[in-house]
DNA sequence: CAATTTGTATCTACACATTTT
DNA sequence: GAAAATGTGTAGATACAAATT
């Protein structure tokens, strides 16, 4: 029975008592979902405690638990014991970083596609593949995981980024995102928890949402995720996996040094976590002569390592290699052959050609040089604002020294002719102390445009 | 408290009372899963009623409900109210039809890959694409759903198979299976129910399992699924979607005539089902001059239609077009850009070239001619055994006139040098009255091998 | 066709852990 | 540092619907 008059304390979510239909929890969940999707309840809003809603509606409070549970499983809300339940970021709008066609005068510092300046060598490789005349073999249906010589090329490429593996534990996928899809579907069940950085790759967030996986943000510092925090979350939460970008993480640009990698590897081993290691920066470090041992190696190959070739070689050829521990082999191959059937042999063959003739290394070096040049440009313009003297990379992570709504900032900038993405798009939970902008250095088209775009951005930040 | 001595009635699943650990339902589910995966409990086995297990273990019986529920969600078992709970087919072994490498002397009547005899025209198209010299555009990162001219080609191809749509509601995928993956992930949640034929495409069964979707088999006759049965299941079961292969369904070879299509369309509309229409045979019918209106057209475009190009053109180029109703557009594009990022432009461009220069139609006609020839061969050898005078297609569905365990039959035949797949691999539920073999006519290599393989099969069937 | 068997959906009860005050 | 607030996990009770007998 209601004890209080709830007219006085306004509940952020106040379901209509009269509209209650008999499967209570279902009708309540529908109402809550509707209000979130329509934007009546904004991201980050604290919902009333379960017991209050229950009191208000005169229901048992675990019935409200079911309501929150249903919405939590859909990724609409998340709860923190002792603190409350909150509306998820990304619940209403679609935060996917799809490249909607931009106005011609807008300079794109949003997308991180990688420089496409070097397609000449790729074109040549394509012609070489066609000339070789064994297309007819490639056009048959065979070897779902990739042809042996392609896998051998992949293994060779992996070696120079700090991963030692074998062709039998490696497969070809249609890009890193596809490899992630297969790994997540094959190894995880809905409701499983995966540890991630508090800011992480937005496509991974969306993918997890599509599969109803729960992301558990784990605090970190300038050297990446904190091992003790990870261990704590595992103890509390029955975490099953972890997603990491150990080199030049997207969007924070953090790279994990060897010492921290060892500590993290120890926790991952002890807690029995399935590690998805997304190599997005290792190739660029390698192109600069630096190879840090991968977590995959530190775990003696008992994890999954994804090596996308789109960023380092060519955005249009969708190829990634994934290598995995023996205990995952059966499930990954099963998933691969049911989700992809197989990957395009033609694309894989071109990438193979590039690795074998050495052009892949050349392209990577040139892309690194471009990134270095862009990084210097950025450093010159944002010396005071961006503390981290980051390595060369395709983007930067710029602290916003204002409390202005970051979504507004994004809109303002778009009107001024620059597209950037604000940190909310990458946040796993709402309510960060500090906002950021991710500034891409790789999609402006050329350096003149990049400079112009960065200047527009700087001018705007001076003003606010 | 236990009322009976259960030592007398042996329970098919008798969990060890002593081994019970505190989250009861969890330890019980683990035990049940283990016994199923190890094969202690075979597919089709009837499990004890929930109340009996509860009685035996002295637990509340809804706790056993939780145990069964957990295993049901994993696809290990299924329950039918009033009848009981049964171990799913496919629960233990991996039924995926992966082409494990066969012994050299084994003739493959298992895989349905499509003839790869016509790669010459495909090779030419590849060269044409390379020569045209706009590879550099294709190698950029752009248009996740496919380039406009590629989509236009897709729309044109779709027209001649009985689908009228527009480029704005069409996208390119890395093969039909990839399109299905995107559609299922984007539009369905774990636990959702999808109506299917009692025998259906085994990769779809596996995909549904990976995503924890529940397949509801709906009875059919020689003209496909029965509308009244579909309607009945929808009334009972809160079915959300339906998967159909209206022309030359895999594996049953059934094609749905127009009248039945109309009836099914009406039920689909009335029940608000999401239709996934997998065009696996329409192109071959079209190549023979027959075009039946698609369910997509009968539903005025408010469904999803998947048109794979691998079987009709080239197994190695992984391209499919999917067209969809406007109300699915946002979710499909969201899914597409998070699951695939984008599809390989190169493969799509080659397919586009083949459609535009007309070679695609030529290839389709030639593949049909091969299928007709193979069909005659089959008809001559199995006149008495295979009643259905099926249309030309890549496979046949052969009733097994024996009660011999079909898995044994498969093994026997493999030893005699023929690979075929038995109906259990395609069954959604266990316990069919009649067993079948799916006999592929398209992967033997050439007609000499095909004939030899079919003769081996016939000889074996004469003997048993 | 009524009674019984059997699975499913929903709501309730309670113990527990963490965070905040 | 104890008490209160708060979400989560597990088990139980009840109503109901379908299939079988």
């Amino acid at each position: 029975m209601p004890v209080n008059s709830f007219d006085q304390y306004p509940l952020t979510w106040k379901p209509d008592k009269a509209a209650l239909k008999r499967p209570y929890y279902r009708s309540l969940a529908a109402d809550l979902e509707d209000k979130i999707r329509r934007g009546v309840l904004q991201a980050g809003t604290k919902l009333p405690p379960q017991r209050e809603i229950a009191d208000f509606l005169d229901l048992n409070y675990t019935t409200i638990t079911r309501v929150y549970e249903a919405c939590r499983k859909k990724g609409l809300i998340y709860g923190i014991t002792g603190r409350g339940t909150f509306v998820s970021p990304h619940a209403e709008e679609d935060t996917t970083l799809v490249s909607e066609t931009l106005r011609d005068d807008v300079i794109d510092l949003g997308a991180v596609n990688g420089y496409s300046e070097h397609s000449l060598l790729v074109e040549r490789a394509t012609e070489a593949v066609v000339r070789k005349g064994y297309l007819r073999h490639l056009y048959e249906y065979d070897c779902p995981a990739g042809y042996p010589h392609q896998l051998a090329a992949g293994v060779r490429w992996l070696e120079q980024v700090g991963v030692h593996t074998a062709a039998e534990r490696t497969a070809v996928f249609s890009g890193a995102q596809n490899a992630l899809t297969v790994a997540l579907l094959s190894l995880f069940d809905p409701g499983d928890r995966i540890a991630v950085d508090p800011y992480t790759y937005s496509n991974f967030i969306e993918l997890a949402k599509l599969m109803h996986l729960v992301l558990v943000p784990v605090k970190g510092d300038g050297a990446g995720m904190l091992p003790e925090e990870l261990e704590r979350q595992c103890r509390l939460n029955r975490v099953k996996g972890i997603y990491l970008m150990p080199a030049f993480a997207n969007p924070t640009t953090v790279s994990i040094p060897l010492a921290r990698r060892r500590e993290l590897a120890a926790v991952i081993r002890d807690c029995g976590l399935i590690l998805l290691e997304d190599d997005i920066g290792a190739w660029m470090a390698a192109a600069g002569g630096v190879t840090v041992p991968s977590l995959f190696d530190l775990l003696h190959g008992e994890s999954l390592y994804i090596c996308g070739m789109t960023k380092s070689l060519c955005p249009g050829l969708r190829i990634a290699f994934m290598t995995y521990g023996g205990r995952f082999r059966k499930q990954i191959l099963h998933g691969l052959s049911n989700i992809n059937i197989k990957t395009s042999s033609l694309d894989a063959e071109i990438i193979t050609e590039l690795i074998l003739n050495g052009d892949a290394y050349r392209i990577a070096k040139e892309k690194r040089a471009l990134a270095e040049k862009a990084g210097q440009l950025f450093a010159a313009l944002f010396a005071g604002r961006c503390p981290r003297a980051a390595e060369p990379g395709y983007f930067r992570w710029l602290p916003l020294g204002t409390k202005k709504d970051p979504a507004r900032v994004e809109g303002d900038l778009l009107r001024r002719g620059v597209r950037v993405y604000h940190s909310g798009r990458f946040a796993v939970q709402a309510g960060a102390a500090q906002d950021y902008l991710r500034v891409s250095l790789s999609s402006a088209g050329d350096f003149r445009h990049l400079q112009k775009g960065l200047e527009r951005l700087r001018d705007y930040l001076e003003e606010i």
Side-chain angles (χ1 to χ4, degrees), chain A residues 74-283:
Chain A
K74 288 195 172 183
L76 294 166
I77 61 179
Y78 61 90
I80 301 175
T81 304
R83 201 182 305 167
T85 305
F86 306 84
V87 178
S88 296
H90 322 307
E92 6 58 283
E93 89 286 40
D94 176 358
T95 56
T96 317
L97 311 183
V98 187
S99 45
E100 312 105 41
T101 324
L102 286 173
R103 274 185 2 241
D104 272 357
D105 57 329
V106 174
I107 294 171
D108 192 5
L109 307 182
V112 175
N113 298 330
Y115 304 99
S116 42
E117 267 92 337
H118 295 87
S119 56
L120 189 70
L121 292 173
V122 179
E123 284 174 49
R124 263 194 228 144
T126 309
E127 284 160 24
V129 168
V130 171
R131 263 200 320 276
K132 273 187 187 157
Y134 53 76
L135 281 183
R136 71 199 60 189
H137 302 300
L138 298 179
Y139 285 167
E140 290 182 15
Y141 177 94
D142 213 353
C143 298
Y147 288 89
H149 68 287
Q150 297 169 346
L151 296 176
V155 168
R156 193 164 136 184
W157 178 263
L158 283 165
E159 217 152 275
Q160 50 106 30
V161 294
V163 178
H164 296 84
T165 184
E168 307 85 68
R169 301 189 291 144
T170 307
V172 179
F173 295 83
S174 311
Q177 197 68 6
N178 175 245
L180 280 173
T181 303
V182 171
L184 290 177
L185 276 178
S186 306
L187 304 175
F188 295 88
D189 297 314
D192 283 351
R193 293 194 185 79
I194 298 185
V196 289
D197 294 313
Y199 289 115
T200 193
Y201 181 41
S202 57
N203 277 323
F204 186 78
I205 298 177
E206 293 297 320
L207 210 48
K209 224 158 62 183
L210 284 173
M211 299 182 194
H212 300 266
L213 302 171
V214 180
L215 298 185
V216 180
V218 179
K219 289 199 193 77
D221 60 14
M225 196 179 276
L226 289 165
E228 56 274 21
E229 283 290 314
L230 176 60
E231 208 240 304
R232 193 171 132 265
Q233 287 295 345
C234 291
R235 228 180 330 103
L236 306 181
N237 266 336
R238 198 160 44 231
V239 177
K240 184 164 175 183
I242 176 171
Y243 173 74
L244 285 176
M245 295 167 281
F248 212 83
N250 188 347
T252 59
T253 77
V254 168
S255 293
I256 310 179
L258 181 55
R260 177 66 60 85
R261 289 189 187 203
R262 284 196 211 283
E263 294 173 321
L264 284 170
V267 178
I268 288 166
R269 190 178 359 89
D270 295 347
C271 298
L273 297 180
I274 299 174
L275 166 65
L276 301 171
E277 187 174 9
D278 192 356
D279 161 16
I280 72 156
W283 66 271

Side-chain angles (χ1 to χ4, degrees), chain A residues 324-355:
Chain A
Y324 39 80
R327 66 182 166 121
F328 305 117
R329 185 187 145 85
K330 199 178 152 189
Q331 280 170 287
I332 292 292
L333 288 179
H334 176 244
L336 162 62
S337 48
N338 283 299
I339 295 165
N340 289 353
I341 308 289
K342 68 166 289 173
T343 299
S344 159
S345 311
L346 182 53
D347 286 24
E349 192 63 23
I350 297 169
I351 297 293
T352 300
E353 174 72 20
L354 285 166
I355 294 173

Side-chain angles (χ1 to χ4, degrees), chain A residues 10 22 168 174 184 190 207 257 281 286 289 315 361 380-381 398 421 424 438 441 447:
Chain A
R22 201 41 232 257
E168 307 85 68
S174 311
L184 290 177
L207 210 48
Y361 305 93
L381 284 163
L398 186 63
Y421 292 130
R438 191 189 71 178
L441 305 176
F447 277 92

Side-chain angles (χ1 to χ4, degrees), chain A residues 263-391:
Chain A
E263 294 173 321
L264 284 170
V267 178
I268 288 166
R269 190 178 359 89
D270 295 347
C271 298
L273 297 180
I274 299 174
L275 166 65
L276 301 171
E277 187 174 9
D278 192 356
D279 161 16
I280 72 156
W283 66 271
M284 193 177 281
V290 181
T291 304
V292 187
S294 59
L295 284 156
F296 181 87
D297 272 24
L298 295 175
L299 287 163
H300 310 290
E302 279 308 312
S303 64
L304 298 100
Y305 186 95
I306 296 161
C307 177
M309 304 302 285
T310 49
K311 298 265 189 294
S312 50
L313 291 188
C314 172
L317 290 174
R318 313 296 310 164
I319 291 295
F321 296 101
M322 182 162 77
T323 189
Y324 39 80
R327 66 182 166 121
F328 305 117
R329 185 187 145 85
K330 199 178 152 189
Q331 280 170 287
I332 292 292
L333 288 179
H334 176 244
L336 162 62
S337 48
N338 283 299
I339 295 165
N340 289 353
I341 308 289
K342 68 166 289 173
T343 299
S344 159
S345 311
L346 182 53
D347 286 24
E349 192 63 23
I350 297 169
I351 297 293
T352 300
E353 174 72 20
L354 285 166
I355 294 173
L356 295 182
N357 73 12
D359 282 346
Y361 305 93
R362 260 164 241 136
I363 294 173
K365 277 215 169 65
E366 286 173 21
K367 298 220 176 196
R368 184 187 161 99
L370 289 174
E372 276 171 351
K373 198 174 150 197
Q376 284 157 13
L377 202 59
F378 180 89
L381 284 163
F382 295 92
R385 290 189 171 274
C386 204
R388 196 186 312 289
E391 307 145 52

Side-chain angles (χ1 to χ4, degrees), chain A residues 376-456:
Chain A
Q376 284 157 13
L377 202 59
F378 180 89
L381 284 163
F382 295 92
R385 290 189 171 274
C386 204
R388 196 186 312 289
E391 307 145 52
Y394 283 166
F395 52 87
R396 285 292 182 266
W397 189 233
L398 186 63
L400 252 184
T402 170
K403 271 284 119 199
K404 199 166 177 179
D405 175 22
R408 282 284 303 278
V409 172
E410 224 181 68
D412 287 353
L413 282 163
L414 203 54
R415 270 186 299 281
R416 286 170 175 238
V418 203
R419 182 168 68 175
V420 294
Y421 292 130
H422 68 80
S423 46
R425 292 176 179 264
F426 307 94
V428 177
Q429 282 183 359
Q434 161 81 298
D435 287 314
Y436 296 83
L437 293 178
R438 191 189 71 178
V439 183
S440 168
L441 305 176
S442 63
S443 298
D446 56 48
F447 277 92
R448 257 217 4 255
H449 280 90
L450 176 61
Q451 173 136 24
K452 208 163 163 192
L454 290 175
E455 282 168 2
R456 284 181 191 168

